Amino acid sequence: MKEEDAFPTRVEAGRLISRQPASRINGGASDSVKVHDLAELFPAIESRPPVHTSGGPFRRSTSRRLDRLRRRLPVMLEEEAVHGHGFLFLPVVVGAGAACWFALPQTPAFWPYFLLFCVSAIFVIVSRHRSGTTHLLPLALTLFLGGMMLAQLETWRRSTVILDTPVTTELAGVVERRESDAQGRWRYIVRIERTSNPQVRRPPQRVSLLSRSRHEPAQTGETISGRARISPPSGPALPGLNDFAFSSYFDGIGAVGFFYGAPKKQAVLPSTRSWMEDIEIQLFDLRSAIATRIRETVPGDPGAFAAAIVTDERRAISEDTTEALRLSGLAHIVAISGLNMALAAGIFFVGVRSVLSVFTGFAQAYPVKKIAALGALMMATAYYLISGFGVSAERAYIMMAIMLVAVLFDRPSISLRNVALSALVIIAMSPSEILGPSFQMSFAATAALVAGYALWKHRAERRDPEPLPFRHPVVTPVLASWNFAAGIFVTSLIGGISTAVFSVEHFHRIATYGLAANLAAMPIISFVVMPAGLAGMLLMPFGLDAPFMKLMGLGLEWVIAIAKHVAAWGGDVGMGRQHPWFLSVSTAGFLLLTLLRTKLRLIGVPLMVTALLLSWHERSMPLPDILISEDGTTVALVDGEGVATNRARPPDFVYDQWKRALLLGDPTKPEMSPPRDKPPDDKPPGAKTNERLELTPQQLETAKSQMKQAPAGRFTCESTAWCAASMGKGIVIAVEDGRYAGAACDAANLVIAPRARFDQCRSGALMINAATLRKAGALEISLNGATDIRRWQIRAAMAGGNRPWSRHRHYDWRSQGFDRSLPEPLRQMINDTGG
């Protein structure tokens, strides 16, 4: 191998020499040598004052290192530019702009940013022939602002109306999607046509509704109606956790809920749909039919697993299997992601190319490789069309399509440039996806694997041929088997390490035995499941798919067994909620390590170390004393000995997030008063069943006395009335029955009463009711050992935010306006702590 091929740049006598094909440097057709004077490239370096080496050996050694770094830095930067690695950072800068726009607490004005974007873009066009920071900085600013513009445009394009408050109503709408779960229940995505009894004044456009009753499932495009309970998507369970309303907004889902009883089918009205909507409905019908056929052919979890891989319908998989796949690190197989799409397209590509290569005359006359790539592209397109257009499937299809198109144009298919181009396309189409764990983990794994493949290939090219003993016919099969096993091991290791940061950030845990599970399961997926599934899908139109689908189910049965076995080892390690800067710093370090070629990539190492220090710092911070859910029905007291809740069975959806984020244990159940101690609630004859009488002064005094005697560190409760507990010298009361809110204000320092009709206590206690929680979201309260509420620290999940996906929290259906104001005591405490 020539020296210029192994290392394309070097410095000779103060001149930088870059050896690259002319097509990559000046558009020529032959090799050329590009020469720059270092003084012209970096005049500041050549004109620097001489370095004085006085001051001891340490100073002289440091000065020499800095001087060597100054001389090598231009060379490394030029080598990165020659290899085109600057293009790899285009999606990084654009994505950073979009992420910053989404992270702002208020929606910024569009036109000032747009004008700045136009000015910066014009400057970039004018200075496009310049080099150095005079061109790079305006270009980076233009790309960053472009990402912000894309985020703004996507938000305008979606314009999803999110329900402001839970309501029970009669609704009717058109079924756009449907999916069955493991219990035979159906979940419908319904486009609302009308609401009544009561009529929702600000109805969402689409809702996700679950029907628990047995019924004849409605078909896509049919109109159904029924009485339903609908609620807004959940906000963060704690400050800094995932806001489900954000993803719902960009998915076009304005509410979630369930039907009371089975939904009724309505008469079919004349269709007003466009031809595009008709095609989409037909594709969803085909998807549902394929999933049903697979589940009928292969019963149980293997069949549901197979249907998920083919059509992305995942709800039919049982909770036990889903949990086992998650704990073992195999949950990524369920989604139609880059792995599934790459295996399907790769198997089809290799198969078609191998078959056509058998016909020698045809293979010599026609480009077999391109024909196979075109066939694989058509197959991947069909796979995407029956996948339900999920986010992960869309991303995998775009990435695979770009790689296959590269083959058609005789370009390298597996390269970081193709990965960067795929990321650019996806960010341009859906900038909001950059904040999701699916996007981050998918591209992190892909970029790391491609970079690892390039490093291995470069090493293999520089390595001497194998000596004669390793080329012996007896040794060659053993060596090939060893290389195959080592490849699977390294691939799983790189994939696991590259996604660990994002798993810690979003899920607050790491599957420590995920490597072992992937090593055992991936050969089954690659050589049994995906080939059998591909053959079954190709033969399904002819009714010959059953044997192959059963083989696919058998392979997935083995995968499920591996997942449950590995999950039983207990390798799910909780990492807790991370520092706000953890993801940004660690991502920057990861990108430098992955995308750069020279030793400049080592700058990513101190960034990764900094991220670990931030994680350690967050873990060392004291836990809050009180946690309050966003609906106020669940309250937890946290101390060094454990956690106590006001509910015997706190909601799994909320408490599981608290448990993972703060590394909590199982809660201590409240102590319930015996039934004889319940206050009477007699109603006179003729009173309405939902009407509650006012409590007598004696009942209020009795309740107040019992509240003041609350035990320390544990709630004592009057069923359906109130719960009270003491922390230090203060008392915390969670009121379920709003009639006790006044007595609680007189007895406690903190009152959580969702049904209270007032938002401030005359006694000076801090009152938190449902209206307050709607605007502030879930709360964390640190008492700081004080009973004076002015010394408390409060963090709110949503206070201060006014974005399109959180604006529904400020809507008042009575006045039909938006009110962002909070009660003054709570507002002051939140502002004082930056909450």
Side-chain angles (χ1 to χ4, degrees):
M1 180 181 295
K2 296 181 181 180
E3 180 185 0
E4 55 266 29
D5 295 332
F7 188 74
T9 59
R10 66 180 186 271
V11 175
E12 294 180 359
R15 298 166 67 82
L16 177 66
I17 300 179
S18 303
R19 301 185 181 271
Q20 282 292 313
S23 59
R24 300 185 64 177
I25 298 178
N26 55 13
S30 60
D31 290 349
S32 64
V33 178
K34 184 177 181 182
V35 182
H36 301 286
D37 284 324
L38 291 181
E40 296 177 359
L41 283 174
F42 296 88
I45 296 179
E46 294 299 321
S47 61
R48 68 184 184 277
V51 178
H52 299 285
T53 58
S54 60
F58 178 75
R59 174 173 291 185
R60 288 195 298 270
S61 176
T62 304
S63 299
R64 285 195 297 269
R65 291 193 183 97
L66 293 176
D67 189 59
R68 191 182 305 116
L69 178 61
R70 294 191 191 99
R71 292 196 303 268
R72 291 180 58 84
L73 182 61
V75 182
M76 291 186 290
L77 289 174
E78 182 65 14
E79 182 179 354
E80 298 289 353
V82 166
H83 284 279
H85 286 189
F87 178 80
L88 305 182
F89 287 88
L90 295 186
V92 175
V93 180
V94 175
C100 287
W101 189 91
F102 288 124
L104 294 175
Q106 308 290 331
T107 300
F110 176 76
W111 293 111
Y113 285 91
F114 180 74
L115 292 176
L116 182 59
F117 168 77
C118 292
V119 172
S120 179
I122 293 173
F123 186 84
V124 169
I125 295 174
V126 172
S127 63
R128 63 184 181 277
H129 297 299
R130 299 181 183 180
S131 60
T133 56
T134 57
H135 177 69
L136 291 180
L137 290 180
L139 177 61
L141 178 61
T142 303
L143 294 172
F144 186 87
L145 293 173
M148 299 184 72
M149 298 300 100
L150 290 172
Q152 175 73 80
L153 293 175
E154 185 192 17
T155 304
W156 283 346
R157 187 173 72 249
R158 296 295 182 182
S159 298
T160 303
V161 176
I162 298 182
L163 185 69
D164 53 277
T165 188
V167 63
T168 300
T169 182
E170 297 278 349
L171 64 81
V174 179
V175 176
E176 293 188 340
R177 302 185 189 182
R178 63 172 195 166
E179 188 173 343
S180 176
D181 64 9
Q183 288 78 35
R185 302 175 301 183
W186 286 88
R187 180 168 291 277
Y188 299 101
I189 303 298
V190 179
R191 185 179 71 249
I192 292 182
E193 299 287 341
R194 62 183 182 274
T195 60
S196 60
N197 192 27
Q199 181 180 1
V200 181
R201 295 183 179 178
R202 190 171 173 268
Q205 298 165 332
R206 290 177 179 84
V207 296
S208 175
L209 294 172
L210 177 67
S211 177
R212 300 187 180 97
S213 301
R214 297 288 179 178
H215 66 285
E216 182 67 24
Q219 301 297 320
T220 306
E222 290 185 336
T223 300
I224 59 175
S225 64
R227 191 156 187 83
R229 176 71 174 178
I230 53 177
S231 304
S234 300
L238 286 177
L241 301 191
N242 181 44
D243 184 5
F244 295 93
F246 178 85
S247 57
S248 293
Y249 179 90
F250 289 99
D251 289 339
I253 306 298
V256 295
F258 57 89
F259 280 111
Y260 290 104
K264 301 175 183 178
K265 296 183 181 180
Q266 299 295 311
V268 179
L269 300 176
S271 176
T272 59
R273 298 188 300 265
S274 64
W275 63 273
M276 287 291 294
E277 292 175 333
D278 287 333
I279 292 177
E280 184 176 351
I281 287 177
Q282 292 176 8
L283 288 174
F284 277 109
D285 286 340
L286 176 62
R287 175 200 183 205
S288 181
I290 292 173
T292 301
R293 182 180 180 90
I294 294 174
R295 289 193 292 265
E296 291 175 350
T297 304
V298 184
D301 278 342
F305 201 165
I309 292 177
V310 175
T311 66
D312 208 26
E313 288 193 3
R314 316 177 199 175
R315 296 184 184 275
I317 305 176
S318 67
E319 294 183 3
D320 293 341
T321 299
T322 301
E323 184 69 7
L325 291 170
R326 184 186 61 80
L327 294 176
S328 61
L330 296 176
H332 63 92
I333 301 174
V334 179
I336 297 180
S337 58
L339 170 67
N340 306 41
M341 192 72 73
L343 286 174
I347 293 169
F348 192 90
F349 174 81
V350 173
V352 171
R353 189 178 183 185
S354 300
V355 171
L356 294 180
S357 299
V358 174
F359 304 96
T360 308
F362 184 88
Q364 293 177 349
Y366 298 96
V368 173
K369 181 179 180 181
K370 294 185 179 180
I371 294 175
L374 182 60
L377 179 59
M378 296 173 62
M379 190 281 306
T381 302
Y383 192 6
Y384 172 65
L385 291 177
I386 65 171
S387 67
F389 309 108
V391 173
S392 59
E394 179 184 78
R395 182 175 56 255
Y397 171 70
I398 291 174
M399 190 180 302
M400 186 53 54
I402 289 176
M403 292 183 178
L404 292 173
V405 170
V407 175
L408 296 177
F409 288 92
D410 297 318
R411 304 295 298 174
S413 58
I414 303 177
S415 67
L416 286 174
R417 292 179 65 87
N418 287 345
V419 177
L421 183 58
S422 303
L424 272 177
V425 172
I426 294 171
I427 293 173
M429 294 174 58
S430 303
S432 59
E433 295 302 326
I434 196 172
L435 298 183
S438 180
F439 177 95
Q440 296 171 6
M441 297 178 76
S442 176
F443 274 99
T446 303
L449 289 171
V450 173
Y453 169 77
L455 183 64
W456 172 83
K457 183 179 179 181
H458 182 66
R459 176 179 174 274
E461 290 175 351
R462 300 181 59 184
R463 188 176 56 187
D464 294 334
E466 297 289 352
L468 183 60
F470 292 99
R471 289 180 286 167
H472 192 277
V474 177
V475 180
T476 300
V478 178
L479 186 61
S481 301
W482 165 256
N483 289 336
F484 173 76
I488 293 179
F489 175 80
V490 173
T491 300
S492 301
L493 182 63
I494 292 175
I497 293 176
S498 60
T499 58
V501 168
F502 307 98
S503 178
V504 169
E505 169 66 23
H506 294 286
F507 308 116
H508 317 302
R509 58 180 55 178
I510 292 180
T512 54
Y513 297 126
L515 177 60
N518 279 274
L519 287 175
M522 289 316 299
I524 301 175
I525 296 293
S526 302
F527 296 105
V528 178
V529 173
M530 292 307 297
L534 179 60
M537 288 303 301
L538 294 175
L539 295 174
M540 185 175 288
F542 308 100
L544 304 176
D545 57 299
F548 295 96
M549 287 300 172
K550 290 181 179 179
L551 178 60
M552 183 183 186
L554 179 62
L556 290 173
E557 189 174 349
W558 297 340
V559 172
I560 293 173
I562 292 172
K564 292 183 176 180
H565 182 73
V566 174
W569 296 352
D572 189 34
V573 178
M575 302 299 294
R577 181 175 54 187
Q578 299 301 305
H579 191 277
W581 284 98
F582 170 80
L583 182 62
S584 301
V585 175
S586 59
T587 300
F590 170 80
L591 291 173
L592 292 176
L593 287 170
T594 304
L595 302 184
L596 294 181
R597 174 188 179 95
T598 64
K599 290 185 179 180
L600 287 175
R601 65 178 181 269
L602 298 179
I603 300 176
V605 175
L607 291 177
M608 298 297 289
V609 173
T610 303
L612 293 176
L613 293 176
L614 290 175
S615 178
W616 172 82
H617 177 267
E618 186 69 17
R619 290 282 299 273
S620 63
M621 297 294 291
L623 296 178
D625 297 303
I626 303 172
L627 308 177
I628 305 173
S629 65
E630 66 173 350
D631 61 358
T633 60
T634 305
V635 181
L637 308 181
V638 183
D639 58 26
E641 299 179 357
V643 56
T645 60
N646 67 319
R647 302 182 67 174
R649 297 184 60 183
D652 292 337
F653 179 76
V654 173
Y655 191 78
D656 285 349
Q657 295 183 72
W658 291 359
K659 188 175 181 179
R660 293 197 306 267
L662 302 180
L663 303 180
L664 304 176
D666 294 332
T668 301
K669 297 181 180 180
E671 181 181 353
M672 307 299 297
S673 297
R676 64 177 180 274
D677 293 337
K678 290 183 181 179
D681 194 18
D682 299 329
K683 297 181 178 63
K688 297 181 179 179
T689 56
N690 59 353
E691 181 181 349
R692 312 199 76 174
L693 301 178
E694 292 296 329
L695 299 175
T696 65
Q698 182 181 0
Q699 292 172 349
L700 292 175
E701 286 297 326
T702 301
K704 189 187 305 183
S705 175
Q706 293 175 342
M707 293 174 184
K708 292 181 178 180
Q709 298 175 6
R714 183 179 182 181
F715 280 102
T716 180
C717 298
E718 291 283 352
S719 181
T720 69
W722 53 265
C723 293
S726 64
M727 294 193 69
K729 298 180 180 180
I731 296 178
V732 179
I733 299 178
V735 179
E736 185 174 348
D737 187 341
R739 297 177 298 174
Y740 290 94
C745 284
D746 295 335
N749 306 84
L750 173 63
V751 179
I752 304 103
R755 299 183 181 181
R757 298 180 180 180
F758 53 93
D759 53 22
Q760 295 190 44
C761 292
R762 290 178 296 181
S763 64
L766 180 62
M767 162 62 72
I768 299 176
N769 60 9
T772 300
L773 289 170
R774 278 187 60 220
K775 300 173 184 178
L779 299 178
E780 294 181 4
I781 303 178
S782 298
L783 303 180
N784 297 323
T787 57
D788 185 357
I789 64 173
R790 292 173 296 181
R791 296 179 58 187
W792 294 358
Q793 292 181 339
I794 298 180
R795 292 185 62 195
M798 301 300 298
N802 184 25
R803 305 307 302 272
W805 50 88
S806 62
R807 194 164 179 256
H808 63 280
R809 292 177 169 271
H810 310 141
Y811 181 76
D812 183 4
W813 63 270
R814 295 179 179 87
S815 63
Q816 300 186 36
F818 293 87
D819 180 16
R820 297 178 52 205
S821 62
L822 287 171
E824 184 59 28
L826 182 65
R827 186 192 65 81
Q828 187 65 38
M829 283 188 285
I830 291 177
N831 290 340
D832 288 346
T833 59

